[in-house]
Amino acid sequence: MALVYKVSLSSSSSSFSFANTKSFNPVNPNTISCSLHFKSSSSSSSPFTEKHSLERYQRDNWLYNVKQQEPTSCSISSDPESIRQNDIALQLPELKNLLQVLREKREEKCGDGKGEKCGPGNVYLVGTGPGDPELLTVKAMRVIQNADLLLYDRLVSNDVLDLVGPNARLLYVGKTAGYHSRTQEEIHQLLLSFAEVGANVVRLKGGDPLVFGRGGEEMDFLQQQGIQVKVIPGITAASGIAAELGIPLTHRGVANSVRFLTGHSRKGGADPLFVAENAADPDSTLVVYMGLSTLPSLALKLMHHGLPSNTPAVAIERGTTPQQRVSFKTLELQPEATISGMYLLKCSISSSPVVGAAGLHAFAIVQVFAELKDLAHEITSAELLSPTLIIIGNVVSLSPFWPHSSKEVPCFAGAI
């Protein structure tokens, strides 16, 4: 059972209490030190915040303000829940201190020390788009730079997080398969607790917060508690990736509608594959988020319900995110991609730093173009990783990268 905590905000003290179905045992400092040392030792070239990356712990090091001593011996627990609880326990003292500071700051500003009660702060749900900081809205930039506390997801890029103001505090609450650094209920309580002491709290989400981002759940919870929530939209993955690949999600005479579908359902919810009957529309575009594992079944169901097996489709791994800023190159046309209807695109990149004079950003992105009947197999062959977006529909053939186009095309650029 996940650990659920509530931050107590009584006027006398700022304390943390635990509600558990099982007892919570204090964590041995050596175990925490060992665990943190172990986790910090890994690094990744991912543009995103990986769950135990060195970048994450460097960014959030204010949370680990404890005397770290190299343990003489340590055994690392392989149990994700134990690691998660250790991490939370280590963060609690500094979270408590930050709450106290923010509450005192509010009381100084409101009422001139006469004890006048002040209202709660605001919570901003901010969409950070596909990863390129230049695609942020002006409002998102302003809110990010003026926040007191920012809770950020795994799919918020490192480049975006570099824009956070120097006095703000960052807290990672990302989720990956098999490891949730915070449950959704814990995230709700964190947002509420800091808003109640008058802080400007920003919830950073990759893409758009209201498109498969659970922003609606957070907004509903906070509004029921009397907290004002402001949503700042971001460019969702479907729009960002389609723009990079030159795919119009709707196009006169080709697709008159577009449908977004998640490949995973909430526990207890409807299986997303059950919508295949209604989604099998040749005049519509289907965009599948988080659908790597369920694509084989989805493709079969779509074809079973009448979608032509040769419908164009594309899967894009980490689309529009700058894995590495490199000199502008052309696409390397893969000679092994000879299967009918399938084409594998990879950016040919160099190790040279950053961009040319025109400010062009090349992206280390892998895309698999295929007919629907072949797509699942070719994704497996290309070993695509999450996050991968899938676009299915006749509009895919309008992309200049579609394999039936004979001309060589340049590696798409992210600068505008």
Side-chain angles (χ1 to χ4, degrees):
M1 180 67 68
L3 174 68
V4 179
Y5 66 86
K6 172 72 173 78
V7 182
S8 174
L9 301 173
S10 63
S11 58
S12 60
S13 66
S14 183
S15 62
F16 292 80
S17 61
F18 294 86
N20 247 333
T21 56
K22 62 180 180 181
S23 61
F24 176 76
N25 297 319
V27 183
N28 184 302
N30 277 350
T31 304
I32 295 177
S33 176
C34 178
S35 177
L36 182 57
H37 174 76
F38 169 75
K39 290 183 284 190
S40 298
S41 65
S42 64
S43 61
S44 170
S45 61
S46 170
F48 303 119
T49 300
E50 300 301 334
K51 59 184 178 181
H52 297 321
S53 67
L54 178 61
E55 292 83 2
R56 172 199 163 186
Y57 286 99
Q58 289 176 332
R59 184 179 295 122
D60 300 355
N61 63 2
W62 68 276
L63 282 165
Y64 304 99
N65 189 21
V66 295
K67 204 172 203 182
Q68 294 294 328
Q69 296 179 350
E70 195 70 27
T72 55
S73 64
C74 78
S75 62
I76 302 298
S77 171
S78 59
D79 175 30
E81 182 60 19
S82 296
I83 294 174
R84 192 184 82 89
Q85 291 192 17
N86 285 350
D87 209 23
I88 290 175
L90 186 58
Q91 295 173 13
L92 289 180
E94 288 305 313
L95 285 172
K96 179 180 69 174
N97 291 340
L98 180 60
L99 271 172
Q100 181 69 20
V101 168
L102 292 172
R103 183 174 60 243
E104 291 174 353
K105 178 181 176 182
R106 179 185 64 167
E107 290 172 351
E108 288 178 3
K109 287 185 176 180
C110 302
D112 297 323
K114 297 178 182 179
E116 182 180 340
K117 186 178 180 180
C118 303
N122 292 319
V123 174
Y124 298 87
L125 305 182
V126 178
T128 62
D132 185 348
E134 292 185 349
L135 295 179
L136 288 171
T137 65
V138 174
K139 182 178 285 189
M141 285 279 292
R142 175 175 56 80
V143 168
I144 288 172
Q145 292 174 345
N146 289 283
D148 294 311
L149 176 69
L150 301 99
L151 280 66
Y152 65 101
D153 280 348
R154 175 193 167 225
L155 296 184
V156 178
S157 73
N158 292 317
D159 284 346
V160 169
L161 292 171
D162 287 340
L163 302 173
V164 173
N167 296 322
R169 294 290 181 264
L170 282 156
L171 174 61
Y172 177 70
V173 293
K175 304 184 183 86
T176 57
Y179 183 85
H180 290 187
S181 64
R182 289 295 195 286
T183 66
Q184 192 61 41
E185 291 73 21
E186 289 167 354
I187 293 171
H188 289 171
Q189 292 296 339
L190 280 165
L191 293 171
L192 174 62
S193 297
F194 280 91
E196 284 180 334
V197 298
N200 286 320
V201 187
V202 173
R203 177 77 168 97
L204 293 178
K205 295 174 177 286
D208 184 274
L210 302 184
V211 179
F212 301 127
R214 304 190 74 169
E217 296 174 42
E218 294 166 0
M219 181 168 56
D220 182 58
F221 171 81
L222 292 167
Q223 287 175 342
Q224 289 186 33
Q225 309 301 318
I227 304 298
Q228 185 174 5
V229 180
K230 299 179 180 180
V231 180
I232 300 177
I235 297 176
T236 188
S239 296
I241 290 172
E244 291 288 351
L245 295 182
I247 298 174
L249 294 176
T250 62
H251 190 83
R252 184 175 298 184
V254 180
N256 55 27
S257 65
V258 59
R259 182 168 189 167
F260 296 169
L261 176 68
T262 174
H264 291 83
S265 64
R266 182 178 177 181
K267 186 176 180 180
D271 186 332
L273 301 182
F274 289 158
V275 306
E277 182 176 0
N278 296 323
D281 180 4
D283 296 323
S284 183
T285 304
L286 180 63
V287 182
V288 185
Y289 290 69
M290 301 168 287
L292 278 181
S293 61
T294 55
L295 177 65
S297 297
L298 176 62
L300 289 174
K301 288 179 180 292
L302 289 172
M303 290 184 289
H304 174 74
H305 290 295
L307 195 63
S309 62
N310 64 347
T311 300
V314 60
I316 313 97
E317 175 187 304
R318 293 175 174 176
T320 79
T321 58
Q323 300 277 1
Q324 181 181 9
R325 296 183 185 275
V326 297
S327 298
F328 188 76
K329 294 285 186 179
T330 58
L331 283 171
E332 179 185 355
L333 307 185
Q334 302 298 308
E336 66 270 23
T338 57
I339 301 175
S340 175
M342 191 282 282
Y343 197 64
L344 177 63
L345 284 170
K346 290 183 179 178
C347 268
S348 174
I349 63 174
S350 74
S351 59
S352 57
V354 123
V355 279
L360 296 177
H361 297 167
F363 297 108
I365 299 171
V366 179
Q367 310 131 39
V368 173
F369 283 84
E371 294 180 347
L372 179 59
K373 66 179 184 296
D374 300 319
L375 184 62
H377 171 72
E378 301 307 334
I379 286 176
T380 301
S381 298
E383 298 181 343
L384 296 193
L385 303 173
S386 176
T388 290
L389 190 85
I390 299 164
I391 304 175
I392 301 170
N394 291 321
V395 292
V396 174
S397 66
L398 300 178
S399 168
F401 302 99
W402 179 243
H404 296 301
S405 175
S406 60
K407 62 180 180 180
E408 183 173 324
V409 290
C411 185
F412 45 89
I416 296 178

